[in-house]
Structure formats: C-alpha cells, structure tokens
C-alpha cells in the first residue's frame, strides 16, 4: 500500500474551500432522473448532460474530485477527450463508484446489503490505470420497525472495510459511505443512535482489516428526523447533533468527512455544512461535501429546458455556495 499517495489524494480532496461532486448515479438512476424531466435516457443523453456539467468554467476552486459511474469513466467529452483525462487536466481528481448496488439482505426483509466485492481488485486496478484516484461504496441503512437489524449493521460494516482495504492496496482513496436513509417516521434521536452504531462498527471492521485511516474519507448522512416524522429539528440542531455524533464515533486519523445530501433541499445542505464549519468546537477532520442532488438538481432541470449555459450556471452557483460553507462564510442572502 502506498500510504503517501493515499494521504496526499485524501488531503487534496478536502483541500480548503473544496469538496466532491457525486455524478455517479447508476444507469438506472440517471435514466429515471432524465425521464422525470422529459429526456429520453440513453448512453448518449447521459453523456451529453454530464459532459456539459464537466465543461463548466470556474468550478475548480470549489470541486476537488468528481465521482463517476463505470459508463461515464469510459466516455468522452464532446471533442473526444476521455472524461477522466479531461477532469485531470482541470486539476480535478476522477473518482469511481465501485459497488454494484444494494441488494436484498437474505433473511431480513426490507434490508439491504451492498454487493461488489467479487473481482473488485481487478476493477480497481483497471480504474487506477484509467486515471481514477479515489472510489466510493455506499451502504444503505434503513430505519423502521425492528430495523436496522444487527445483521444489517455487521454485514455492511464488514463489506465497507473489505472494499476500503482493496481500494487502498490498488492506490485508490476509499470513500466509506454508510448512509442512514432519511426515509421513515423516526425522530432525530433514533437517527443519531443508528448512525452511531453503523459508524462505530464500520471503524471496528476497518481497524481489524488494516485500513489506513489517514488515506480514507468518510461520507455520512447528517443527523435529522425522518422525512415522514413531521417533526423536523432546526438547522442548528442538525449541525450540533451531527458534529457530536461524529466526534463520538469517528477516529481522528480519518482525513475528512464529506457529507451526502440524501434528499435535503439545496439550501439546507449548504446551510447545515456552513453551521458545522462555523462552530467553536474543535474537531480533527475537514468537514466538506460530496453532494449529488444538492449540487445538480437545478442543473438537471435547466438542462431539460434546453439551456446548456443555465445548467452550467446552476451547477457552478451551488458549487460556490458550498465552497463558502467550508469556512462558515455562506449566508442566505448570497442565494439567487
Ligand atoms: P446525494 O448527495 O444526492 O445524496 O448523493 C450523494 C451520493 O453519492 C449518494 O451515494
């Protein structure tokens, strides 16, 4: 394992004012998102939409890396330049989603286990040779009656650690993503408990398997009440509880925390991050973003309205707002 390479990449991904764009929707998810805005999905329509985003001017100061899906890392920009090569030329690290999706967990109806360990070593080696320098694996934890089970926590934590070890061996910084879903009618306290459980088990497994924590990034959810709970807590409480939960469960050697947006509104995702970065409390990690929907929802909508430039403007605006939130310098009056 090249620890220096991993530490350098991880540090660059959470450099001051920068975060990650998650553009790694699977073909199925990206196709439904395109269909939802009236665009016929195909490899070419997925490529055109994403190539336009990647060609946007001026996002390098806010975006350190882009997570790609297998289809996209093999595609090219409009002028034929391979996408990973193009991103690297802009000083942006190409990343790759390497899990193969969340599948039903046997014996536990309604729960999911993320698959993709078979053949992962060879796939990581290929992605590295194509220019990828980091990777993502998403575990999905659902809160509900008798959920999550301890089997769901332990199997997903174990798989995350196996994935992280293999990536590091192949020179890729693993983004470890145990996502506790916002869907459900649970309160914020229950989200806190479950997030604590999956985080602490994940890092136990990572330590057991020799994962080099300074060469990793954690991608967690924030602590919020379930979407259907009808009792959403304030932005300040989200920020306080999230930092408290991380402080209790995340080893300080981890280089950075890059949150997912998980269905939050664009502005909530930015405001929560801004509040966390404005606190007096000391914490050892960079707190940053690896947002998908909260960076691109509006860009997709405007793309559907046939405006390349507006789509790029929407993306670069959100990127800049989140960049400001890295240092607590965002405010609502900067929104347009
Ligand atoms: P969202 O920010 O849309 O949740 O996507 C981030 C991501 O990569 C989920 O795996």
């Amino acid at each position: 394992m090249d620890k220096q390479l991993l530490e350098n990449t991880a540090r660059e991904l959470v450099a001051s004012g920068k975060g990650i764009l998650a553009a790694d929707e699977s073909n199925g998810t990206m196709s439904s998102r395109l269909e939802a805005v009236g665009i016929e999905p195909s490899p070419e329509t997925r490529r055109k939409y994403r190539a336009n985003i990647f060609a946007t001017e001026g996002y390098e100061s806010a975006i350190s890396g882009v997570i790609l899906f297998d289809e996209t890392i093999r595609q090219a920009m409009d002028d034929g330049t391979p996408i990973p090569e193009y991103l690297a030329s802009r000083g942006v690290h190409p990343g790759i989603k390497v899990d193969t999706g969340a599948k039903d967990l046997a014996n536990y109806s309604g729960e999911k286990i993320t698959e993709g360990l078979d053949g992962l070593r060879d796939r990581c080696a290929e992605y590295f040779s194509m220019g990828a320098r980091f990777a993502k694996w998403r575990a999905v934890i659902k809160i509900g009656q008798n959920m999550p089970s301890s089997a769901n926590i332990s199997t997903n934590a174990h798989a995350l650690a196996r994935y992280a070890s293999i990536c590091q061996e192949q020179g890729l910084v693993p983004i470890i993503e145990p996502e506790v879903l916002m869907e459900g009618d649970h309160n914020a306290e229950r989200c806190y408990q479950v997030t604590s459980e999956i985080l602490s088990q994940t890092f136990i497994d990572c330590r057991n398997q020799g994962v080099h924590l300074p060469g990793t990034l954690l991608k967690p959810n924030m602590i919020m009440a379930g979407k259907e709970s009808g009792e959403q807590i304030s932005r300040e409480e989200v920020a306080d509880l999230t930092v408290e939960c991380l402080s209790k469960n995340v080893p300080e050697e981890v280089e950075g925390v890059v949150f997912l947006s998980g269905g939050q509104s664009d502005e909530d995702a930015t405001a929560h991050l801004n509040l966390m970065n404005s606190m007096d409390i000391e914490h050892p990690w960079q707190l940053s973003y690896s947002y998908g929907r909260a960076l691109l929802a509006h860009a997709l909508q405007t793309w559907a309205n046939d405006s390349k430039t507006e789509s790029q403007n929407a993306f670069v605006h959100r990127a800049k707002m989140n960049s400001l939130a890295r240092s607590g310098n965002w405010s609502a009056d900067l929104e347009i």
Side-chain angles (χ1 to χ4, degrees), residues 57-83:
E57 275 178 32
Y59 65 84
E60 300 93 326
S61 57
I63 301 290
S64 54
V66 176
I67 317 175
L68 304 168
F69 187 62
D70 181 77
E71 177 182 79
T72 322
I73 201 170
R74 300 173 194 283
Q75 289 178 322
M77 299 295 286
D78 292 346
D79 70 358
T81 310
I83 285 174

Side-chain angles (χ1 to χ4, degrees), residues 22 24 136 138 177 179 219 260-263 290-294:
D24 61 319
K136 180 188 113 171
R138 173 174 175 254
E177 180 179 5
E179 175 175 3
K219 178 161 172 168
L260 57 93
S261 60
S290 174
Y291 294 158
R293 284 161 287 179

Side-chain angles (χ1 to χ4, degrees), residues 235-248:
R235 285 175 170 176
E236 287 73 15
E237 285 171 303
V238 171
D240 287 348
L241 289 173
T242 302
V243 171
E244 184 187 303
C245 182
L246 295 175
S247 301
K248 290 192 174 154

Side-chain angles (χ1 to χ4, degrees), residues 29-51:
T29 303
M30 193 65 240
S31 296
S32 355
R33 289 190 184 162
L34 286 170
E35 267 175 334
V37 295
I39 297 173
E40 181 76 29
S42 70
E44 179 55 11
T45 53
R46 291 190 289 268
R47 186 202 68 78
K48 265 173 100 167
Y49 160 65
R50 285 169 165 148

Side-chain angles (χ1 to χ4, degrees), residues 41-165:
S42 70
E44 179 55 11
T45 53
R46 291 190 289 268
R47 186 202 68 78
K48 265 173 100 167
Y49 160 65
R50 285 169 165 148
N52 185 60
I53 294 293
F54 303 153
T56 303
E57 275 178 32
Y59 65 84
E60 300 93 326
S61 57
I63 301 290
S64 54
V66 176
I67 317 175
L68 304 168
F69 187 62
D70 181 77
E71 177 182 79
T72 322
I73 201 170
R74 300 173 194 283
Q75 289 178 322
M77 299 295 286
D78 292 346
D79 70 358
T81 310
I83 285 174
E85 192 181 304
Y86 175 79
L87 291 171
S89 75
R90 300 276 305 263
V92 172
H93 283 301
I96 182 76
K97 169 191 172 78
V98 297
D99 68 69
T100 55
K103 307 288 162 53
D104 291 342
L105 178 63
N107 298 327
Y108 292 89
S109 171
E111 299 196 279
K112 301 280 182 194
I113 174 70
T114 301
E115 294 189 349
L117 291 169
D118 288 355
L120 182 58
R121 171 173 284 121
D122 292 343
R123 286 191 291 125
C124 286
E126 185 194 10
Y127 290 137
F128 186 91
S129 75
M130 295 171 85
R133 288 297 174 268
F134 71 106
K136 180 188 113 171
W137 177 290
R138 173 174 175 254
V140 183
I141 310 292
K142 190 167 189 286
I143 300 180
Q145 210 178 7
N146 302 323
M147 288 195 266
S149 60
S150 59
N152 190 22
I153 298 285
S154 63
T155 50
N156 275 296
H158 186 261
L160 279 165
R162 289 261 286 123
Y163 139 81
S165 316

